[in-house]
Amino acid sequence: YGDVFVGYDDYTNGTLIASELENLGVSGNVVMLHGDKTSGVEKIIEGEKSVLENLDVDIVMEQYCQNWGAEAAVGYAQNALAEYDNDIAAFVCMNDGIASGTIQALEEVGLEGKVAVTGMDCELTAVQRIAEGTQTSTLYKDSNALSKAAIETAIKLAKGEEIETDVTINFGVNDMPHVIVDSAVITKANIDSELIETGIYTEEEVYGE
């Protein structure tokens, strides 16, 4: 067992996923498309809702997408658009696969780029969609930041220093400090600084030739 857990925090990631809707001042009907119900996504949902409850929005539909897949998302997004006569301001999608399905449904009714669509995982295809303007945001989990935090924490432990965190996590043994590594919210405005200048993706990959 470990003395400290260093990693991403689902609740924090949830708040980050929804944060861009707050920045955009989204109001109106919102659809939440979650990951697979079997994969413990409740904390992410709590995080998303903690942001949404401060906005002038109505959550009109919530669905879990089997296998976190685009297929499930297409159907749910089509249903929501049909039921609300295309009057949806945002789709809070829990990953980029779900976002891709949602955008497919939006394209069918000519609304791509006009409705906010979030994501997570920073897949290249998602970054390309953000560059094109059809996806609003994604989250990049920086593995370097994660390993750096892990190393810094390990050094502190080795020196017998106290690890100070606001949260603890329990994997069934004991409550241990949880060092939270923040994911980066990627939008059209920071693709270059966050992903291209740091060498995660090349300009060609994102923007084509």
Side-chain angles (χ1 to χ4, degrees), residues 15-26 51 55 116 118 136-138 185-188:
T15 61
L16 290 171
I17 288 172
S19 65
E20 195 49 27
L21 302 186
E22 188 165 32
N23 296 341
L24 294 170
V26 166
V51 174
L55 302 180
T118 67
T136 310
S137 59
T138 187
V185 180
I186 305 298
T187 63
K188 202 170 187 171

Side-chain angles (χ1 to χ4, degrees), residues 15 20 24 35 59 78 80 86 88 96 104 106 141 154 184 199 204:
T15 61
E20 195 49 27
L24 294 170
I59 298 168
Q78 286 168 332
N86 294 343
I88 305 289
D96 292 336
Q104 199 178 313
L106 287 167
K141 300 177 185 175
E204 289 72 30

